[in-house]
Amino acid sequence: MGNLIKVLGKDLENCPHFFLDFENAQPTEAETAVWNQVNAVLEVAHGILAELQSYNGAGQEIREAIQNPCDLQLQEQAWNAVCPLVAKLKRFYEFSLRLENALRSLLEALTSPPYAPMQHLEREQALAKQFAEILHFTLSFDELKMTNPAIQNDFSYYRRTLSRNRLNNLQHDAENEVNNEMANRMSLFYAEATPMLKTLSNATTKFVSENKTLPIEDTTDCLSTMACVCRVMLETPEYRCRFTNTDTMLFCMRVMVGVIILYDHVHPVGAFAKTSKIDMKGCIKVLKEQPSNSVEGLLNALRYTTRHLNDDSTSKQIRAMLQ
């Protein structure tokens, strides 16, 4: 099967295991149209992460303006510092909409009849790799956002200033770029602890609800199979040694956590129930075997952004593992 090699395991029937070459999978002719569409989005993703990583905020200017409300010069300095940052936040939000469309295209390709999801992952390895790259970006973005309070502070100050200006019949050029309607949508986006993951979760749920002729299992099986792919690659030394890039381990961990969360949001009983097709104990165990500084954000994503962790159907052992 090319770069995708089936791994025979004792629980293969319940949880198919694959080794997927995330580093080298290339699109076949049949994949090219969707691959090109998604690649145009993914090409922008690295720059988005770099911008977010270097986002320092306008904390000092805002503090000085608040402490000296009658000093018009400080008010102007704070506004001039915040506006380009808000324009950047708008670009991040608009990129989330592009990412949502890209995910939908991949879900359509990887779940469409007549093939089962497992067959799709065998036949369309490059699309599976792109699906993984979207999840990797999503969790990377959200980890950076969660550790940067300046984003919320800057945007809150921007909105307060807009409201004050409106009451005083003042209008700045910046309002033409981020008007009140856009600001409301951005506010909902950034209010989420993990905004990109929430976007993908909503998009996946919407995809399932809009495709009523497509069994929900086709989507959830695609996600559970991807989780198994990553777990096997992480826990099996002979597969890990095939990685040529040292970052591939973290890539696999992020993808595994991402598909678990999507599965938990889409599947009626979630990822933590005994009937789940995802080996949650195995997935958590493989995360906890890694250095804590590299996986704490991923464990927090499982703790705080899943839907069914605290259900009665979740075993005490799994809850204890995530304490």
Side-chain angles (χ1 to χ4, degrees):
M1 291 290 183
N3 290 326
L4 192 60
I5 303 168
K6 186 176 292 186
V7 181
L8 295 175
K10 61 183 180 181
D11 59 346
L12 177 63
E13 191 173 333
N14 295 323
C15 183
H17 289 185
F18 295 91
F19 180 85
L20 174 58
D21 190 348
F22 283 136
E23 296 177 342
N24 301 304
Q26 296 297 317
T28 62
E29 187 176 347
E31 296 170 86
T32 300
V34 174
W35 189 90
N36 285 338
Q37 176 193 342
V38 176
N39 190 57
V41 177
L42 287 173
E43 282 180 339
V44 181
H46 181 74
I48 294 286
L49 285 180
E51 280 193 88
L52 180 56
Q53 198 153 21
S54 63
Y55 188 102
N56 293 321
Q60 183 175 342
E61 292 89 343
I62 291 172
R63 279 192 300 275
E64 290 177 354
I66 291 173
Q67 289 166 3
N68 301 277
C70 297
D71 190 323
L72 295 181
Q73 185 177 355
L74 289 177
Q75 307 307 311
E76 193 69 21
Q77 286 176 357
W79 181 253
N80 290 337
V82 162
C83 284
L85 294 173
V86 169
K88 188 177 290 189
L89 295 178
K90 181 190 176 190
R91 286 200 301 277
F92 297 166
Y93 167 71
E94 289 174 334
F95 182 75
S96 76
L97 304 180
R98 295 184 63 193
L99 202 68
E100 182 179 347
N101 289 331
L103 178 73
R104 182 183 183 87
S105 296
L106 287 173
L107 286 174
E108 287 174 352
L110 294 172
T111 60
S112 59
Y115 302 111
M118 187 169 28
Q119 293 171 306
H120 276 297
L121 293 176
E122 287 182 320
R123 295 168 60 90
E124 291 136 28
Q125 300 164 34
L127 297 187
K129 178 173 179 274
Q130 286 186 318
F131 184 47
E133 287 170 342
I134 285 178
L135 291 165
H136 179 262
F137 164 83
T138 296
L139 270 73
S140 300
F141 181 97
D142 287 345
E143 282 180 19
L144 290 171
K145 185 266 178 185
M146 279 194 292
T147 56
N148 194 340
I151 291 172
Q152 287 282 74
N153 294 339
D154 292 349
F155 195 65
S156 295
Y157 177 81
Y158 176 84
R159 295 204 73 191
R160 289 198 306 272
T161 306
L162 268 190
S163 299
R164 189 165 63 244
N165 290 343
R166 207 171 287 116
L167 287 173
N168 296 326
N169 293 319
L170 298 173
Q171 183 169 352
H172 287 279
D173 291 339
E175 189 172 354
N176 295 326
E177 182 170 354
V178 182
N179 59 28
N180 196 48
E181 181 186 351
M182 173 61 78
N184 286 337
R185 283 185 275 148
M186 288 172 61
S187 183
L188 291 172
F189 177 76
Y190 287 110
E192 295 288 342
T194 52
M196 287 290 178
L197 200 53
K198 180 69 172 177
T199 297
L200 294 197
S201 296
N202 288 346
T204 307
T205 303
K206 186 178 178 182
F207 172 80
V208 169
S209 65
E210 289 181 350
N211 290 271
K212 299 188 186 303
T213 59
L214 185 73
I216 187 173
E217 290 79 11
D218 284 16
T219 303
T220 55
D221 284 357
C222 176
L223 300 175
S224 62
T225 302
M226 285 288 285
C228 289
V229 168
C230 296
R231 177 173 61 80
V232 168
M233 286 164 53
L234 289 165
E235 68 188 8
T236 312
E238 54 263 43
Y239 301 131
R240 287 203 307 269
C241 72
R242 297 187 185 189
F243 301 154
T244 58
N245 190 324
T246 54
D247 292 334
T248 305
M249 281 281 289
L250 182 56
F251 180 92
C252 286
M253 288 188 281
R254 282 205 176 107
V255 173
M256 181 178 72
V257 169
V259 289
I260 288 170
I261 294 168
L262 288 184
Y263 183 99
D264 195 57
H265 278 254
V266 175
H267 196 282
V269 298
F272 299 95
K274 288 182 180 179
T275 55
S276 167
K277 292 187 178 181
I278 296 177
D279 176 6
M280 284 305 306
K281 291 177 186 175
C283 291
I284 297 169
K285 181 174 178 287
V286 84
L287 287 174
K288 291 206 157 189
E289 288 171 350
Q290 312 306 318
S292 60
N293 63 326
S294 65
V295 298
E296 192 57 31
L298 298 178
L299 290 169
N300 283 337
L302 290 177
R303 290 173 184 128
Y304 305 123
T305 66
T306 47
R307 181 172 288 172
H308 295 280
L309 174 61
N310 294 316
D311 287 3
D312 292 339
S313 58
T314 301
S315 74
K316 291 180 180 178
Q317 186 179 358
I318 289 177
R319 288 186 199 171
M321 291 177 78
L322 285 173
Q323 289 286 306

